[in-house]
Amino acid sequence: MLDLYLHLASILGVCVVILWGISLISGKVSFVDGFWGGGFVLLGWASFYWQLGLQEDPAPHILVSFIQLPLHAQLTLGGVTLWGTRLGSQLLIRFFSEGEDNRYKALLAGIKLPKPLFTLVFVFFMQAFFMA
């Protein structure tokens, strides 16, 4: 079980660092909210993938393996996929149509630490922590 948790945490860590790099280039951080839903989808499928033990060559087996899951597992993974995709899409659409969220603007206005360090620790890693 610890192996699975470390696997998922490493996936989250890589994604968060990539997103943080994008935020450094763009100067905006609130797009990370879109990763909230999508990140749960990613973690759900990565967990399923890990549990199958198909890390080397999952492509021919993953759909067949999903169909062979018990109904409650299919509904759980399917529900997380639908919910996370809808939530992530909605938050990204809001970000692209309205721009930077005012909550993030207020949060970043009063910081004492350098902005890149603050956003990495208190925005991106914090979201990853609560997702894990």
Side-chain angles (χ1 to χ4, degrees):
M1 188 65 164
L2 181 61
D3 286 348
L4 173 61
Y5 184 76
L6 293 174
H7 175 72
L8 297 177
S10 66
I11 290 171
L12 270 178
V14 168
C15 289
V16 162
V17 168
I18 291 169
L19 291 172
W20 176 67
I22 293 169
S23 80
L24 293 178
I25 294 168
S26 70
K28 299 182 184 301
V29 296
S30 63
F31 69 88
V32 73
D33 288 347
F35 181 66
W36 184 253
F40 280 110
V41 173
L42 176 67
L43 291 179
W45 281 96
S47 177
F48 168 66
Y49 176 74
W50 180 267
Q51 293 294 331
L52 289 177
L54 298 174
Q55 293 85 354
E56 277 108 47
D57 188 22
H61 310 288
I62 200 157
L63 184 57
V64 172
S65 299
F66 178 77
I67 292 169
Q68 293 173 347
L69 283 174
L71 180 60
H72 71 278
Q74 288 179 353
L75 291 174
T76 301
L77 186 55
V80 167
T81 301
L82 290 174
W83 168 80
T85 302
R86 184 207 58 82
L87 178 63
S89 300
Q90 182 179 1
L91 292 171
L92 283 174
I93 288 169
R94 183 179 72 185
F95 169 75
F96 286 116
S97 65
E98 298 176 14
E100 188 79 346
D101 191 318
N102 289 330
R103 295 172 296 160
Y104 285 100
K105 287 179 185 176
L107 176 70
L108 296 174
I111 62 172
K112 304 282 188 237
L113 295 172
K115 183 180 175 182
L117 177 63
F118 183 86
T119 58
L120 178 64
V121 174
F122 293 103
V123 176
F124 291 91
F125 281 164
M126 190 72 70
Q127 283 221 4
F129 174 78
F130 284 114
M131 288 178 74

